[in-house]
């Protein structure tokens, strides 16, 4: 006899002699005695080995017990996949215990993405037609819990049959199973339509509840179904009314309220049916008012129903009186002792704040009080809601509260709170000085949490408020005296001191008590920023540039500045070293240009970024090689020079300004230069592949003045266009093209149209994308959007998306309309997949 | 609802029910993360939190956390009621349920859950009919197996009668000591009755 044969015999003998495997409860007890993780693991390994060998022996008697044990180990986190097939065998067994454990195991161990699960389709089918309802119930439950789309397709017919039985135990399960089938395979929905006819006539609450769930699912998925089921509104209203009116029924009551689960579900279905439909909304007004006023609110159940009612009232076309009632219910919720109730109140107020702004404003002080809550969930909601309530009238008071919150809140809130304050301040600042003070406050209290763009934004703001320069620089100087920990603050301060150092020293500040500072003291501070080990490389860059700028603003310390600059010529920080070397050269070789180059920065009109993003920086030193292969651009490029200058002086974080106003000639020329370079850049052709270069350097671009027709032919002409923005009569549509030469470039043509009766003038469209993309905005066709949709502005955006990620874009619109300046921000997320995949 | 978890204060998973397809690995990761977040919350905090793209509703009953992940449009407050209803069902079935009942009879806890919820939605709003279905199915299990010899396993009987009692007592007193038991909201009683359900496993 061979060795293997003997082994097999041995095992067989062993199994025959082996006593029954350890019982489930026994095993659990044993495992629970384990003192260490290692001990537990050892026990489990031992047991697993026994179970495996039992499985191998095709032992039918104890399979059920073994699978149950495996499920326990699975819960403890141990692998149990080897029990998958055994589950299928149990399901096929005739014993109910086997089936019960088998289906349970299948739900826990099988994954619908593994083909193994398909093996049980046939068993489920048989069991759905079984003579015992509990077996049918098991099959329905499993299908409704983990059925894959293939399974759902195969078994939908059986489910539909069971949905029509008179057996309520099966009917309720079939209804929920149908919900699952529809979720997996929406096109099977039609199939269940005939069976829904009599569902609401049912008396059994289980069937009624699950039917409402099924109807909800169908209405949410298909507008046709929604229209079809609108006729059920009166019936649903009647059911709800009966529920409220009915006396005590011990079976369904929960602390004195009859069947809250069913009530909530019906209210939710009513919400979907009444949305955007006047007649249906009208038909449910009364019952909603009745529920809202008559529900007992001393217990959580009552509040659950009220909460659902409020959501429904806010979502349908309800009467104004009813809406006020709803908001007042939420106001009462805010004062409730139960934190959970307060939380849902804040959540729902946040949903309604856009539509019922004034009604929500009335509860402002209560909401602001919630900022002091100890619970982070509530705090977050209160913060979001507080920001939503800020307006021109309450900005000072609200900001005081929010700044206090920023100071005291947990680190996780600081970033969001800071950017919220920035946005609100930008929108509603009562004065420039207040605006600057507010941002500075944020930088001093939460400087390390602000987003990267805060620094350039503040610098821009400061530059543009000419009359505030002396005040600002003095404040900043005081703020960083001896404290360099808040990097963004130090960066802004360094920039401002460099820019307005002369104002600081001359001490001519009207807004505040002037301070006496000498030139040397100012330089001391900047130098200590350079030395401080808290300073980042970027901050040092700011400080060095500031020192350099002061060489033209200060009179008697130029030699000291020269010395500092030359010291950093040998810095180990490459960035700093390069700067220092360049500045040194400025002192030595180009001294005659120094004062002109270091002149005060002009007022910045428009910056193309307004988010945590960067516009593709096409000029400058990053792409010098392709530049040389191009024909020299004709004409002067003041804009591009200005950009260079900015680049040189403005520190790392300032992005070049790409003006998008077509009327200014030089800017447009600059834009085209960018265009030209950008294009080459975008196609990603390395300089060593000259074949593609001539093709690209073909002149159409230069000839085509506004370059609204790009070089790209669409390869995917089927990309649907989207409406990116539609508000106040202004509509912006995006159409897409993909480049032939480089599929990672998406060309978006925007079309802005205006349906109001007045033209929109000075229209500027700006866009920003996340850092993984690069974006280029070409000049628009005009800056006026004519009224009555009589014409459009077109503008081309090119997006380079090398990683083919889902496109997201933030857009900013500014224009003059009816004599007032309008500004709006929006986020565009609905790009069709073809535009980026 | 996307999933429901039961876990102990020590971070041990006691039951998991998933209503969405996911690999075992992802599930484990989610369970671990969510447990950490929930266990870190203080007793006086509200029962809701936003976690990933889900709303999580949890409630603690003695040493066990019941935790449901629901979707955007779901009602948080009624989810709390749903959790409570499940606890009531367990309590009725086991007769003053305690954590040990759920550990030792986890499959029963699953059966009850599957009779109460399906695909994350409530199947029946009547406690009575859910319990009736479970009882009948249990009965069926015995009838089909044809033997009830296992039931009188003495060791098991003794164990299930007295050990949970002793442990429940100690758990209970510790709970009182730490001021964690709220009489009104918990359904945990001092005494565990003997198990009155069949055990064939």
């Amino acid at each position: 006899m061979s060795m293997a044969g003997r082994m097999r015999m041995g095992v067989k003998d062993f199994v025959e002699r082996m006593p029954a495997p350890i019982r489930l409860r026994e095993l659990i007890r044993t495992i629970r005695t384990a003192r260490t993780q290692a001990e537990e693991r050892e026990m489990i390994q031992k047991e697993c080995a026994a179970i495996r060998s039992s499985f191998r022996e095709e032992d039918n008697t104890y399979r059920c017990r073994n699978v149950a044990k495996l499920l326990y180990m699975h819960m403890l986190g141990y692998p149990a996949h080897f029990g998958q097939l055994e589950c299928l065998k149990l399901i096929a067994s005739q014993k109910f215990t086997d089936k019960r454990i088998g289906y349970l195991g299948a739900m826990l161990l099988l994954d619908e993405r593994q083909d193994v699960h398909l093996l049980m389709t046939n068993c489920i089918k048989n069991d759905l037609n079984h003579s015992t309802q509990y077996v049918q119930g098991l099959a329905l439950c499993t299908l409704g819990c983990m059925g894959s789309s293939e399974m759902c397709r195969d078994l939908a017919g059986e489910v539909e049959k069971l949905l029509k039985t008179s057996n309520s135990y099966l009917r309720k399960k079939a209804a929920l199973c149908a919900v699952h089938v529809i979720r997996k395979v929406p096109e099977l929905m039609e199939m269940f339509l005939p069976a829904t006819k009599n569902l609401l006539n049912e008396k059994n609450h289980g069937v009624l509840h699950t039917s409402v769930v099924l109807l909800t699912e169908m209405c949410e998925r298909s507008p046709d179904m929604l229209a079809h089921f609108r006729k059920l509104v009166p019936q649903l209203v009647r059911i709800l009314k009966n529920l409220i009116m009915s006396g005590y029924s011990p079976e369904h009551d929960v602390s004195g309220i009859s069947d809250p689960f069913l009530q909530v579900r019906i209210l939710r279905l009513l919400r979907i049916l009444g949305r955007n439909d006047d007649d249906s909304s009208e038909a449910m007004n009364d019952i909603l008012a009745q529920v809202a006023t008559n529900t007992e609110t001393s217990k959580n159940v009552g509040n659950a129903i009220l909460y659902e009612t409020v959501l429904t009232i806010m979502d349908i076309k309800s009467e104004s009186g009813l809406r006020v009632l709803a908001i007042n219910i939420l106001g009462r919720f805010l004062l409730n002792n139960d934190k959970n109730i307060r939380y849902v109140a804040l959540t729902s107020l946040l949903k309604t704040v856009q539509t019922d702004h004034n009604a929500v404003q009335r509860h402002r002080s209560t909401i602001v009080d919630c900022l002091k809550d100890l619970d982070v969930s509530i705090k977050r909601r209160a913060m979001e809601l507080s920001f939503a309530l800020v307006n021109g009238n309450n900005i000072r008071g609200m900001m005081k509260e929010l700044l206090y919150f920023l100071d005291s809140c947990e680190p996780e809130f600081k970033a969001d709170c800071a950017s919220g304050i920035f946005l609100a301040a930008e929108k509603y600042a009562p004065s420039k000085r207040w605006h600057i003070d507010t941002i500075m406050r944020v930088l001093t209290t939460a400087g390390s949490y602000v987003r990267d763009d805060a620094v350039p934004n503040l610098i821009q703001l400061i530059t543009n408020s000419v009359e505030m320069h002396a005040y600002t620089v003095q404040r900043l100087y005081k703020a960083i005296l001896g404290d360099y920990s808040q990097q963004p603050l130090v960066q802004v301060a360094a920039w401002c001191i460099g820019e307005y150092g002369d104002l600081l020293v001359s001490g001519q500040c009207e807004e505040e008590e002037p301070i006496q500072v000498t030139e040397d003291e100012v330089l001391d501070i900047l130098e200590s920023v350079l030395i401080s080990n808290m300073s980042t490389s970027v901050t040092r860059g700011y400080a060095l540039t500031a020192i350099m700028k002061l060489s033209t603003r200060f009179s008697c310390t130029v030699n000291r500045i020269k010395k500092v600059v030359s010291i950093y010529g040998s810095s180990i920080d490459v960035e700093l070293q390069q700067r220092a070397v360049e500045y040194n050269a400025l002192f030595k070789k180009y001294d005659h240009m120094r004062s002109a180059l270091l002149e005060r920065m002009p007022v910045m009109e428009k910056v193309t970024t307004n988010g945590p993003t960067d516009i593709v920086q096409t000029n400058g030193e990053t792409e010098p090689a392709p530049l040389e292969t191009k024909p020299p651009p004709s004409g002067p490029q003041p804009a591009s020079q200005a950009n260079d200058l900015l680049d040189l002086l403005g520190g790392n974080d300032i992005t070049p300004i790409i003006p998008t106003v077509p009327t200014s000639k030089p800017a447009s020329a600059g834009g085209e230069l960018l265009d030209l370079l950008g294009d080459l850049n975008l196609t990603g052709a390395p300089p060593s592949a000259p074949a593609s270069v001539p093709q690209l350097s073909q002149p159409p671009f230069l000839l085509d003045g506004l370059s609204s027709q790009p070089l790209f032919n669409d390869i995917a002409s089927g990309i649907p266009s989207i409406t990116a923005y539609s508000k106040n009569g202004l509509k912006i549509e995006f159409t897409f093209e993909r480049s032939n030469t480089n599929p990672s470039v998406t060309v978006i043509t925007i079309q802005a149209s205006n349906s109001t009766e007045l033209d929109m003038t000075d229209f500027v469209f700006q866009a920003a994308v996340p850092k993984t993309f690069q974006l280029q905005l070409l000049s628009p066709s005009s800056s006026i959007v004519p009224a009555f949709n009589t014409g459009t502005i077109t503008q081309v955006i090119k997006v380079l998306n090398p990683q083919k990620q889902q496109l997201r874009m933030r857009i900013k619109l500014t224009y003059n309309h009816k004599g007032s300046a309008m500004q709006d921000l929006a986020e565009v997320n609905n790009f069709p997949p073809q535009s980026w995949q | 609802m996307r999933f429901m978890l039961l876990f102990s204060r020590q971070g041990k998973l006691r039951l998991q029910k998933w209503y969405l397809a996911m690999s075992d690995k992802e599930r484990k990761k989610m369970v671990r993360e969510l447990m950490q977040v929930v266990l870190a919350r203080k007793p006086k905090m509200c029962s809701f939190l936003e976690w990933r793209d889900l709303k999580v509703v949890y409630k603690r009953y003695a040493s066990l956390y019941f935790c449901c992940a629901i979707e955007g449009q779901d009602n948080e407050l009624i989810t709390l009621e749903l959790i409570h209803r499940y606890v009531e069902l367990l309590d009725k079935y086991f007769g003053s349920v305690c954590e040990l009942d759920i550990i030792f009879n986890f499959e029963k806890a699953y059966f009850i859950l599957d009779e109460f919820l399906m695909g994350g939605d409530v199947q029946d709003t009547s406690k009575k009919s859910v319990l009736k279905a479970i009882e009948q199915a249990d009965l069926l299990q015995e009838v089909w197996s044809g033997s009830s010899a296992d039931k009188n396993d003495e060791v098991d009987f003794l164990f299930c009668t007295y050990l949970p009692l002793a442990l429940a007592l100690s758990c209970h007193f510790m709970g009182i000591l730490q001021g964690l038991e709220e009489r009104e909201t918990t359904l945990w009683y001092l005494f565990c009755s003997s198990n009155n359900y069949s055990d064939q496993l």
Side-chain angles (χ1 to χ4, degrees), chain B residues 71-189:
Chain B
E71 283 151 74
Q73 70 276 35
D74 290 337
N75 184 324
E76 295 95 334
L77 297 178
I78 203 76
T79 309
L80 279 177
E81 289 302 317
L82 183 147
I83 292 176
H84 189 74
R85 171 61 63 90
Y86 180 49
V87 175
E88 284 180 317
L89 288 168
L90 289 172
D91 195 63
K92 273 262 162 55
Y93 181 81
F94 287 105
S96 316
V97 68
C98 69
E99 189 183 341
L100 282 171
D101 288 319
I102 295 171
I103 296 172
F104 280 96
N105 303 286
F106 69 93
E107 85 282 3
K108 308 276 187 199
Y110 276 115
F111 294 152
I112 297 170
L113 185 63
D114 283 339
E115 202 59 55
F116 174 48
L117 296 181
M118 188 166 138
D121 288 302
V122 174
Q123 272 182 52
D124 207 316
T125 59
S126 150
K127 254 183 283 187
K128 214 169 89 188
S129 68
V130 174
L131 287 169
K132 203 180 105 201
I134 290 288
E135 271 163 30
Q136 304 248 318
D138 280 353
L139 207 61
L140 201 59
Q141 216 173 317
E142 275 177 61
V143 171
W144 280 13
S145 70
S147 86
S148 52
D150 287 341
K151 220 177 137 185
N152 300 326
D153 187 318
E154 214 165 327
V155 183
D156 242 13
F157 180 76
L158 277 173
F159 178 80
C160 292
T161 313
Y162 298 111
L163 192 66
L165 188 142
L167 285 168
L169 272 171
S170 63
C171 288
H172 184 81
F173 286 124
M174 279 172 66
I176 288 175
L177 282 178
Q178 293 166 12
L180 297 169
E181 284 258 11
E182 287 169 59
R183 271 324 280 174
E184 283 215 349
T185 53
T186 54
L187 286 158
W188 308 87
Y189 303 112

Side-chain angles (χ1 to χ4, degrees), chain A residues 133-261:
Chain A
Q133 64 169 1
Y134 296 106
V135 175
Q136 291 173 290
L138 281 177
L140 278 171
C141 182
T142 308
L143 179 61
C145 175
M146 52 115 21
S148 61
S149 45
E150 289 103 312
M151 248 161 116
C152 288
R153 266 180 233 278
D154 288 345
L155 300 172
E158 261 71 23
V159 176
E160 197 262 351
K161 236 186 289 166
L162 290 175
L163 189 55
K164 287 195 274 198
T165 61
S166 56
N167 179 341
S168 55
Y169 178 77
L170 291 175
R171 220 169 161 199
K172 67 184 186 195
K173 284 181 194 283
L176 288 184
C177 202
V179 171
H180 180 82
V181 171
I182 291 171
R183 277 185 196 152
K184 285 283 168 192
V185 195
E187 61 263 31
L188 289 175
M189 199 185 320
E190 299 273 318
M191 189 174 179
F192 296 105
L193 189 57
T196 58
K197 208 186 273 171
N198 293 317
L199 282 178
L200 291 185
N201 296 328
E202 181 68 44
K203 287 277 171 293
N204 180 295
H205 282 221
V207 179
L208 213 47
H209 183 270
T210 52
S211 306
V212 174
V213 175
L214 175 61
L215 294 175
T216 309
E217 187 68 27
M218 290 168 96
C219 289
E220 272 180 332
R221 288 196 178 260
S222 143
D224 292 343
M225 292 288 172
L226 181 60
H228 175 79
F229 287 128
R230 284 232 164 88
K231 63 171 196 270
L232 293 179
V233 170
Q235 207 178 346
L236 288 165
V237 167
R238 205 156 50 236
I239 297 172
L240 194 52
K241 195 168 227 157
N242 286 338
L243 274 179
I244 303 171
M245 296 305 186
S246 71
Y248 176 70
S249 119
E251 204 174 336
H252 300 109
D253 272 22
V254 177
S255 30
I257 288 173
S258 56
D259 210 336
F261 295 102

Side-chain angles (χ1 to χ4, degrees), chain A residues 242-443:
Chain A
N242 286 338
L243 274 179
I244 303 171
M245 296 305 186
S246 71
Y248 176 70
S249 119
E251 204 174 336
H252 300 109
D253 272 22
V254 177
S255 30
I257 288 173
S258 56
D259 210 336
F261 295 102
L262 184 55
Q263 284 200 43
V264 164
R265 267 298 174 173
I266 293 177
L267 285 165
R268 183 160 155 193
L269 179 55
L270 286 177
R271 168 156 86 241
I272 294 162
L273 294 172
R275 197 179 283 159
N276 302 322
D277 188 84
D278 289 315
D279 293 341
S280 310
S281 299
E282 169 77 40
M284 56 186 86
N285 252 328
D286 285 351
I287 188 74
L288 291 176
Q290 215 171 336
V291 177
T293 42
N294 290 349
T295 305
E296 162 72 47
T297 59
S298 58
K299 291 268 163 56
N300 179 59
V301 248
N303 288 320
I305 293 172
L306 270 187
Y307 172 44
E308 198 71 35
T309 313
V310 167
L311 293 180
T312 301
I313 292 173
M314 304 316 286
D315 229 20
I316 65 167
K317 294 192 168 271
S318 45
E319 288 164 0
S320 62
L322 204 53
R323 296 183 83 84
V324 172
L325 180 66
I327 302 252
N328 286 342
I329 291 176
L330 293 179
R332 271 210 315 277
F333 276 9
L334 277 181
L335 300 170
N336 200 304
N337 276 334
D338 187 340
K339 278 198 175 1
N340 296 334
I341 311 279
R342 289 211 297 278
Y343 175 86
V344 295
L346 290 169
T347 316
S348 6
L349 284 172
L350 198 58
K351 278 184 208 152
T352 59
V353 70
Q354 296 306 332
T355 42
D356 298 80
H357 192 85
N358 291 332
V360 182
Q361 280 288 1
R362 277 206 293 279
H363 302 285
R364 197 175 66 229
S365 61
T366 328
I367 294 164
V368 170
D369 278 347
C370 291
L371 285 174
K372 300 183 186 92
D373 207 294
L374 291 174
D375 189 336
V376 283
S377 300
I378 290 181
K379 254 190 211 180
R380 176 164 293 280
R381 282 277 161 270
M383 179 183 87
E384 288 165 11
L385 193 51
S386 299
F387 278 120
L389 289 177
V390 173
N391 62 24
N393 297 326
N394 60 27
I395 175 99
R396 284 175 191 269
M398 286 298 278
M399 278 301 141
K400 206 179 273 171
E401 297 285 351
L402 285 162
L403 281 168
Y404 176 74
F405 175 71
L406 178 68
D407 200 25
S408 58
C409 67
E410 286 85 353
E412 60 192 284
F413 291 110
K414 297 215 186 219
D416 287 340
C417 187
S419 52
I421 292 178
F422 285 154
L423 273 178
E426 194 182 333
K427 234 172 158 177
Y428 302 112
S431 72
K432 283 243 165 101
R433 170 167 170 180
W434 182 91
H435 193 176
I436 291 171
D437 281 351
T438 305
I439 299 188
M440 238 145 59
R441 223 3 237 290
V442 173
L443 288 182

Side-chain angles (χ1 to χ4, degrees), chain A residues 520-632:
Chain A
D520 275 316
E521 278 171 334
V522 175
L523 287 176
D524 282 346
I525 270 226
L526 290 174
E527 272 192 68
S528 37
V529 169
L530 273 173
I531 297 164
S532 164
N533 52 13
M534 274 191 275
S535 301
T536 64
S537 168
V538 175
T539 312
R540 293 204 174 105
Y542 271 97
L544 189 66
T545 307
I547 291 178
M548 184 62 196
K549 284 191 207 166
L550 289 178
S551 75
T552 61
R553 290 157 178 68
F554 284 176
S555 46
C556 43
T557 45
V558 179
N559 280 333
R560 181 176 170 186
I561 291 172
K562 267 190 199 165
K563 218 167 96 196
V564 173
V565 167
S566 69
I567 287 171
Y568 281 90
S570 53
S571 165
I572 47 163
D573 183 335
V574 182
E575 171 65 30
L576 210 56
Q577 186 190 36
Q578 187 181 352
R579 256 168 220 261
V581 168
E582 282 167 8
Y583 296 157
N584 226 351
L586 211 51
F587 272 123
K588 288 188 178 128
K589 281 194 233 163
Y590 306 102
D591 210 29
H592 57 284
M593 283 167 67
R594 185 162 56 92
S595 59
L597 275 172
L598 299 176
E599 230 172 43
R600 188 156 292 175
M601 295 291 286
V603 170
M604 300 182 203
E605 278 298 346
K606 279 160 190 116
V607 171
T608 3
T609 53
N610 57 43
T613 53
D614 274 332
I615 294 294
V616 52
Q617 200 164 331
T618 42
N619 61 338
E621 60 285 330
T622 45
E623 292 284 329
L627 178 63
E628 281 148 27
T629 64
K630 310 295 292 182

Side-chain angles (χ1 to χ4, degrees), chain A residues 628-815:
Chain A
E628 281 148 27
T629 64
K630 310 295 292 182
S634 54
Q637 280 89 37
S640 132
Q641 271 172 15
N643 288 345
D644 282 338
L645 203 64
L646 253 177
D647 214 345
L648 183 67
L649 301 178
N652 300 353
D653 279 342
I654 302 224
T655 349
I657 303 160
I658 307 174
T660 52
V661 186
T663 41
S664 78
K665 276 267 164 57
S668 153
E672 263 169 64
L673 173 69
L674 290 173
D675 225 347
L676 216 54
L677 302 180
D679 193 30
L680 194 66
N681 185 13
L682 292 178
T683 51
S688 57
S692 64
V693 174
Q695 184 211 344
L696 281 164
S697 56
Q698 288 298 315
F701 231 137
L702 287 175
L703 296 177
D704 186 342
L706 291 167
S707 63
S708 54
Q709 291 302 313
L711 274 172
F712 304 97
N713 300 318
D714 54 346
I715 44 169
S717 50
I719 308 181
S721 52
I722 59 164
T723 303
Y725 180 87
S726 180
K727 210 159 138 189
N728 303 332
L730 175 62
K731 189 170 164 191
I732 294 181
E733 285 193 319
F734 284 8
T735 50
F736 304 92
E737 288 169 321
R738 298 290 285 270
S739 151
N740 282 341
T741 45
N742 186 348
S744 55
V745 175
T746 306
V747 180
I748 306 170
T749 310
I750 72 149
Q751 289 202 311
S753 59
N754 170 7
S755 61
T756 63
E757 62 285 342
L758 278 171
D759 289 357
M760 292 171 179
T761 56
D762 298 329
F763 178 82
V764 178
F765 171 90
Q766 295 169 315
V769 286
K771 278 201 168 105
T772 43
F773 305 89
Q774 294 188 324
L775 173 139
Q776 189 186 8
L777 262 178
L778 306 193
S779 311
S781 59
S782 150
S783 65
I784 296 170
V785 199
F788 298 112
N789 285 327
T790 47
T792 56
I793 289 187
T794 57
Q795 189 168 6
V796 174
I797 313 171
K798 292 179 189 171
V799 179
L800 174 63
N801 180 7
Q803 297 169 25
K804 303 249 167 100
Q805 287 184 344
Q806 176 159 18
L807 262 178
R808 282 184 302 131
M809 188 179 280
R810 203 170 283 174
I811 59 174
K812 183 177 179 182
L813 303 156
T814 44
Y815 56 90

